[in-house]
Amino acid sequence: PTALPAIYLETVVRGRYSFMKPFFTSSMKEAVYGSAQRIGSANAMASDERAPMIRSLWKPGERSSAERKPESMPCTEERSGTKAVPKVPTRKPRLSMACLRLARRDFFMFSSLHTDATLILMEELEKAGVTGYVGKVNMDRNGSPELQETTEQSKRETLRWLDACGRFQTVKPILTPRFTPSCTDELMSWLGKLAAERGLYVQSHLSENKGEIAWVRELCPDCAQYWESYDRAGLWKDHTVMAHCVHSDEREREAMREHGVVTAHCAGSNINICSGVAPVRTLLREGNLVTLGSDIAGGALLAMNKVITMSIRASKFRHMQTDGKDEFLTVEEGYYLGSSAGHEYFGGHGGFVPGDYIHAIVVDDSDFTEAAHPLSVRERFERAIYMMHRHNIVSVWSEGKNVVRR
């Protein structure tokens, strides 16, 4: 059984296509393909085919519709007068279904700075029955030409995106300044006012690595610490989610606790890009709220049980770094951080509480390695956390509904 956690996914643009990072990993080499023409001419970027498309997830090795030759594209035909009109084959939204099948229903997701792509992503997630928050990323400085807006364009597109989000019921918008180095003071202040006016939550990054912290110090000389660059803009508030917090010192951690800012600990990403290991035990001991995140593709794990076990391993490395001062996470603690801690952000309770809608997964552990002795329920639970794969999750219950059944 699990209450489902917040997760992070990010989008990166490569040339004229947008790829969801999870599908670059060694375990999931599926890409999100599509051309600007399929988004629609309303997007100003459509004319040069750089606007991303996030709707159909093609099988590994398949080419996008823009790359296929018309004569080789599988289709049926409808007759309009004497002209044959090709019909694009329907594809299931693989990302959203993967989230459900891996028991990830409540989440936070970074999309990209492209408004239409973000709306398509939200649409597909809602169709699949996923609940959570998706953010159109804001970036008006220090980006590549494909990943940077002007300040006015970022404001205008953010408002257009928010206006279009009214049709969604289960997937909600969350303001997403990429991080301080990619957003000017003007844009950050504007987003802070917008968050206050519309009651919107905020997600971003904080103290991921030492180089980033030094960069923020150069960009914001009037801020003694990284977190103050968000605070002065009105973005440092209750329910703000900050990814990483690897190098957050005592003063920064105190500011997080006092303002209700949540840490999204992304152990796999932090290790993969050599950022360090976050002081999770210290954060918990001091009373900070911590959840677990994937941060694909800095991290390479979409399945939440794998994120949990990676976090436990990282805490053991931290335990060695501190000569045993920071105790490593137990399986029970890792499971809590990867499930109920995130669910509480959405207003839920930890574990099963009478009167709550059930959030649970049903795991078939019959194909696990046979133990040398009969296992207790606790031992079977721990084994499942470390060994289960997608096919072992035979049923997913969310908000009292059986949303996945095999």
Side-chain angles (χ1 to χ4, degrees):
T2 179
L4 304 174
I7 64 173
Y8 280 85
L9 303 175
E10 300 176 3
T11 305
V12 63
V13 169
R14 293 284 186 262
R16 61 181 180 174
Y17 300 116
S18 173
F19 296 85
M20 291 302 293
K21 284 186 178 180
F23 302 94
F24 280 142
T25 67
S26 59
S27 60
M28 299 179 69
K29 292 186 178 297
E30 300 164 341
V32 182
Y33 286 109
S35 65
Q37 288 88 344
R38 292 179 63 188
I39 292 177
S41 58
N43 191 315
M45 299 182 70
S47 60
D48 64 5
E49 297 187 346
R50 288 185 296 169
M53 161 67 179
I54 307 176
R55 184 184 295 275
S56 301
L57 301 182
W58 301 84
K59 295 179 180 179
E62 271 193 349
R63 292 176 294 173
S64 71
S65 58
E67 292 174 302
R68 288 178 176 163
K69 294 180 181 180
E71 63 270 21
S72 66
M73 184 174 180
C75 66
T76 57
E77 293 184 351
E78 292 179 352
R79 295 284 171 177
S80 177
T82 59
K83 185 177 180 180
V85 180
K87 184 183 291 184
V88 178
T90 301
R91 300 277 178 170
K92 291 183 179 180
R94 294 191 180 203
L95 173 61
S96 51
M97 291 309 298
C99 288
L100 282 177
R101 288 169 182 162
L102 291 169
R104 309 189 67 153
R105 186 175 184 271
D106 293 343
F107 63 87
F108 295 93
M109 187 178 294
F110 283 57
S111 179
S112 74
L113 56 78
H114 305 91
T115 301
D116 294 301
T118 302
L119 291 170
I120 291 169
L121 173 61
M122 295 173 74
E123 176 187 334
E124 296 297 352
L125 290 168
E126 176 140 323
K127 284 180 181 177
V130 179
T131 297
Y133 292 84
V134 173
K136 176 216 169 299
V137 178
N138 296 97
M139 299 175 65
D140 69 338
R141 68 175 174 182
N142 296 320
S144 63
E146 296 85 3
L147 287 176
Q148 183 171 309
E149 311 160 294
T150 65
T151 303
E152 291 306 314
Q153 182 185 20
S154 188
K155 293 178 181 179
R156 182 174 64 252
E157 287 300 294
T158 298
L159 291 175
R160 183 167 77 87
W161 165 62
L162 290 173
D163 289 343
C165 286
R167 67 180 186 267
F168 300 122
Q169 300 298 315
T170 62
V171 180
K172 301 176 183 179
I174 182 169
L175 294 182
T176 309
R178 183 70 180 84
F179 65 156
T180 299
S182 67
C183 296
T184 60
D185 293 349
E186 179 183 349
L187 180 58
M188 293 275 274
S189 296
W190 182 83
L191 289 170
K193 292 177 182 177
L194 185 64
E197 291 171 359
R198 302 203 182 190
L200 297 169
Y201 292 157
V202 177
Q203 62 179 352
S204 193
H205 296 73
L206 182 71
S207 299
E208 182 174 2
N209 57 68
K210 294 179 179 179
E212 175 189 326
I213 295 171
W215 193 11
V216 172
R217 193 175 295 117
E218 293 176 5
L219 294 169
C220 308
D222 56 327
C223 294
Q225 289 191 300
Y226 194 163
W227 68 273
E228 294 177 13
S229 64
Y230 296 107
D231 187 40
R232 68 178 183 179
L235 299 167
W236 191 260
K237 60 191 184 72
D238 184 56
H239 274 72
T240 288
V241 179
M242 287 290 167
H244 308 302
C245 308
V246 174
H247 300 284
S248 295
D249 64 10
E250 183 177 359
R251 182 167 176 261
E252 190 162 80
R253 297 194 304 268
E254 181 181 2
M256 296 173 67
R257 184 171 62 257
E258 289 179 349
H259 291 80
V261 173
V262 181
T263 298
H265 173 47
C266 307
S269 172
N270 298 156
I271 292 172
N272 281 343
I273 65 175
C274 302
S275 298
V277 181
V280 175
R281 176 61 66 189
T282 301
L283 284 162
L284 294 173
R285 185 170 56 244
E286 294 175 347
N288 286 281
L289 178 59
V290 180
T291 65
L292 302 185
S294 303
D295 196 33
I296 304 292
L301 303 169
L302 187 60
M304 205 63 214
N305 66 299
K306 302 301 182 185
V307 174
I308 291 170
T309 56
M310 174 60 76
S311 299
I312 294 171
R313 292 188 186 99
S315 74
K316 291 179 178 180
F317 183 66
R318 178 88 184 183
H319 177 73
M320 292 184 286
Q321 279 185 320
T322 61
D323 295 324
K325 180 181 177 182
D326 283 357
E327 290 294 329
F328 56 80
L329 297 173
T330 65
V331 173
E332 292 89 345
E333 288 173 323
Y335 179 74
Y336 170 79
L337 296 180
S339 57
S340 294
H343 189 58
E344 288 171 3
Y345 181 97
F346 293 88
H349 301 97
F352 295 121
V353 177
D356 280 1
Y357 287 114
I358 188 170
H359 290 260
I361 62 174
V362 179
V363 176
D364 179 1
D365 63 357
S366 61
D367 67 348
F368 291 171
T369 302
E370 186 176 356
H373 61 86
L375 299 181
S376 66
V377 172
R378 180 173 180 173
E379 289 171 329
R380 289 177 67 192
F381 169 78
E382 182 169 338
R383 184 178 65 168
I385 293 296
Y386 276 91
M387 296 186 65
M388 71 177 171
H389 295 281
R390 179 191 293 192
H391 73 274
N392 297 115
I393 302 175
V394 296
S395 186
V396 178
W397 289 79
S398 185
E399 292 291 328
K401 297 178 182 178
N402 191 187
V403 293
V404 173
R405 180 185 301 166
R406 291 201 180 110

